[in-house]
């Protein structure tokens, strides 16, 4: 904690009430001003005590101000008996996933929900679940991998190079992509994101900055991937600005790495303490956006989303430098996030956990599997789906089931059949683990238009 010799009785002498505000003030000051002079620290505390309203939105002192202004006890929240309005897209969705959405729709803050056709059960909100709430954010509604996203670069390289110089593309993936918890690049870029004062304003971010720098440009484990493949533009679009035809593409899927995971764990725990709920709804604990902790999480979540985007920029930059060619178009969209949006004439917070934003004319990329085509899409802005679409094909079998159902030989046969080279990967991500992407796309024809496809050819995943 440093050298700050501050005690609770010192804070009481400044006029603080003998309640939780003293402990919070002690923790905040020792965490942020451990090396500062005690007289300076006391003068700050006195200023907050005299004018707490002025410090309510401050990222460093907001928690102290809030404790001074509020003497509310933490009361258990009850669920509503009726569900908020919702729509389910697609038929091949488990009862468990539906029931998770139904529980979320009974939250007193819920206004509307939807389930995408790739939906399957998760923790709290199901994967493929969309939930709008009033002035609050649910850390588990966003998920563990904050800002996880798809990123597609379309190059001017002739598509024939993928077969003609396959070794070069395999080598580029082997040498210039990093996966999982332990692989990192030797050289690191100086990205503007690390200059942001947000890293210094919130203690958990300050602690995680070193890890974020180290993991920049790397991908996670599980279903995260980087791949070269064949892009086919089937419908011309002003935003993509490319004629119909075939192109070489780089597609990546990953998120905010250790930074996002630790933010999610910390604020999920805090939300559960702040917002006790019945057992079946515990993972839906929320943070009010009028509170310091709500503002803190919202700020950290947005930083993690920007960091995830920066990681993809770095991945694509390294690969283009290795294989040559120029990027003619880039399509990127994220999921596992919360957005402030207007629906039914009212501002709400829309959580998309494993669901793609599909506002009118918004571009997105919906992948299939390591062997199945993915789809380049343009959103239709359907209000019934809260302007959302699926984020992939969705799992037909859980990871545990896959380990018992499929063998490496079966995966090799499927890869050979589809002319796909796989580097890394395991039975948990077998092509057969996923739903039929064509069925999923047919179930969301009201949500998106299809502009093109991406067929994987060389796929790199965690080992």
């Amino acid at each position: 904690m440093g050298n700050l010799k501050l005690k609770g009785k010192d804070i009481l002498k400044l006029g603080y009430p003998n309640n939780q505000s003293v402990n919070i003030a002690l923790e905040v000051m020792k965490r942020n001003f451990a090396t500062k002079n005690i007289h300076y620290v006391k003068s700050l505390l006195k200023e907050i005590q005299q004018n707490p309203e002025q410090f309510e939105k401050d990222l460093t002192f907001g928690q102290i101000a809030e404790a001074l202004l509020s003497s509310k006890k933490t009361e258990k929240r009850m669920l509503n008996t009726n569900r908020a309005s919702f729509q389910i897209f697609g038929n091949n969705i488990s009862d468990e996933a539906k029931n998770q959405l139904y529980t979320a729709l009974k939250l007193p803050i819920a206004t509307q929900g939807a389930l995408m056709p790739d939906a399957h059960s998760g923790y709290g909100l199901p994967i493929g679940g969309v939930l709008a709430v009033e002035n609050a954010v649910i850390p588990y509604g966003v998920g563990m991998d904050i800002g996880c996203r798809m990123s597609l670069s379309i190059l001017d390289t002739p598509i024939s190079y993928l077969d003609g110089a396959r070794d070069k593309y395999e080598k580029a993936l082997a040498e210039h992509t990093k996966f999982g918890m332990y692989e990192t690049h030797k050289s690191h870029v100086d990205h503007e994101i690390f200059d942001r004062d947000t890293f210094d304003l919130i203690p958990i971010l300050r602690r995680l900055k070193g890890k974020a720098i180290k993991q920049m440009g790397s991908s996670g484990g599980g279903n995260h991937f980087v791949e070269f493949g064949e892009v086919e533009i089937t419908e011309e679009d002003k935003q993509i600005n490319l004629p119909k035809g075939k192109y070489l593409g780089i597609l990546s899927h990953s998120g905010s790495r250790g930074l996002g995971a630790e933010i999610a764990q910390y604020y999920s725990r805090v939300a559960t303490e702040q917002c006790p709920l019945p057992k079946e709804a515990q993972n839906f604990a929320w943070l009010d956006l009028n509170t310091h902790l709500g503002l803190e999480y919202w700020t950290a979540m947005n930083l993690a989303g920007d960091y995830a985007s920066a990681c993809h920029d770095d991945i694509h930059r390294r690969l283009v430098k290795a294989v040559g060619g120029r990027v003619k178009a880039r399509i990127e969209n994220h999921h596992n996030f919360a957005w402030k949006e207007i629906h039914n004439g009212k501002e709400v917070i829309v959580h998309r956990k494993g669901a793609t934003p599909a506002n009118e004319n918004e571009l997105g990329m919906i992948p299939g599997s390591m062997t199945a085509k993915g789809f380049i899409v343009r959103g239709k802005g359907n209000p019934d789906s809260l302007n959302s679409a699926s984020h992939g094909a969705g799992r037909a079998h859980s990871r545990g089931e896959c380990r018992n159902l499929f063998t490496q030989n079966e995966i090799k046969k499927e890869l050979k059949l589809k002319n796909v080279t796989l580097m890394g990967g395991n039975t948990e991500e077998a092509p057969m683990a996923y739903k039929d992407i064509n069925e999923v796309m047919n179930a969301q024809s009201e949500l998106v238009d299809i502009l093109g496809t991406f067929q994987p050819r060389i796929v790199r995943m965690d080992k």
Side-chain angles (χ1 to χ4, degrees), residues 30-301:
K30 285 191 172 182
R31 203 169 54 187
N32 292 285
F33 300 96
T35 58
K36 296 290 183 187
N37 178 293
I38 192 161
H39 299 295
Y40 170 71
V41 170
K42 283 182 180 178
S43 68
L44 281 176
L45 285 170
K46 187 68 182 168
E47 200 179 336
I48 300 164
Q49 186 263 329
Q50 288 174 339
N51 299 293
E53 294 85 358
Q54 289 182 16
F55 292 91
E56 256 190 299
K57 299 289 183 189
D58 187 281
L59 280 172
T60 305
F61 304 122
Q63 216 175 336
I64 303 173
E66 199 171 283
L68 285 166
L69 291 164
S70 168
S71 57
K72 289 180 197 164
K73 287 180 183 169
T74 305
E75 292 171 14
K76 192 164 188 176
R77 315 301 215 284
M78 302 311 292
L79 300 182
N80 293 337
T81 46
N82 297 323
R83 301 189 290 237
S85 64
F86 67 96
Q87 186 88 24
I88 295 175
F89 295 86
N91 303 311
N92 189 15
I93 297 171
S94 70
D95 288 340
E96 193 182 351
K98 289 177 186 174
N99 288 331
Q100 285 181 325
L101 178 71
Y102 297 157
T103 302
L105 293 166
K106 290 181 180 177
L107 295 172
I109 54 171
T111 61
Q112 190 183 341
L115 213 47
M116 300 300 103
D118 63 336
H120 55 94
S121 62
Y123 293 100
L125 205 59
I127 314 302
V130 184
L131 183 69
V133 304
E134 290 185 81
N135 199 45
V137 63
I138 303 166
Y140 250 129
V142 168
M144 288 296 288
D145 194 5
I146 298 170
C148 186
R149 63 193 57 226
M150 303 302 310
S151 187
L152 172 68
S153 289
I154 305 173
L155 308 184
D156 62 357
T157 312
I159 192 63
S160 59
Y161 281 33
L162 257 188
D163 287 325
R166 205 173 185 110
D167 288 355
K168 179 172 89 165
Y169 292 95
E170 286 179 24
K171 186 170 184 268
L173 284 176
E175 292 180 359
H176 299 286
T177 62
K178 303 293 177 187
F179 281 83
M181 289 177 70
Y182 307 109
E183 290 185 5
T184 55
H185 291 289
K186 287 190 180 78
S187 64
H188 296 288
V189 287
D190 290 328
H191 197 279
E192 64 80 22
I193 198 161
F194 299 120
D195 298 328
R196 295 190 191 176
D197 61 1
T198 315
F199 271 111
D200 300 316
L201 291 171
I202 299 174
I204 188 173
L205 297 182
R206 196 181 309 145
R207 180 170 63 76
L208 291 170
K209 187 175 180 179
K211 180 183 270 192
I213 292 170
K214 199 175 173 185
Q215 292 187 329
M216 170 61 93
S218 66
S219 307
N223 62 356
H224 293 157
F225 59 75
V226 183
E227 50 197 33
F228 286 109
E230 185 179 302
V231 174
E232 184 172 9
I233 301 294
T234 53
E235 294 290 330
E236 290 187 16
D237 179 89
K238 283 179 187 171
Q239 295 173 81
I240 300 174
N241 197 26
L242 287 173
K244 291 180 186 177
K246 293 188 177 181
Y247 301 85
L248 194 148
I250 301 168
L251 182 64
S252 53
H253 172 223
S254 189
S256 50
R257 311 296 283 111
L259 174 72
E262 292 205 38
I263 290 169
Q265 284 168 334
Y266 173 72
Y267 288 100
S268 294
R269 192 179 73 246
V270 169
T272 306
E273 290 164 4
Q274 298 271 318
C275 178
L277 282 160
K279 193 178 177 185
E280 72 274 20
Q282 273 174 351
N283 283 332
F284 296 114
W286 67 83
L287 296 168
D288 190 311
L289 285 178
N290 285 337
T291 66
H292 175 78
L293 282 167
L295 178 68
E296 204 176 271
Y297 172 77
W298 188 262
T299 306
M301 177 195 74

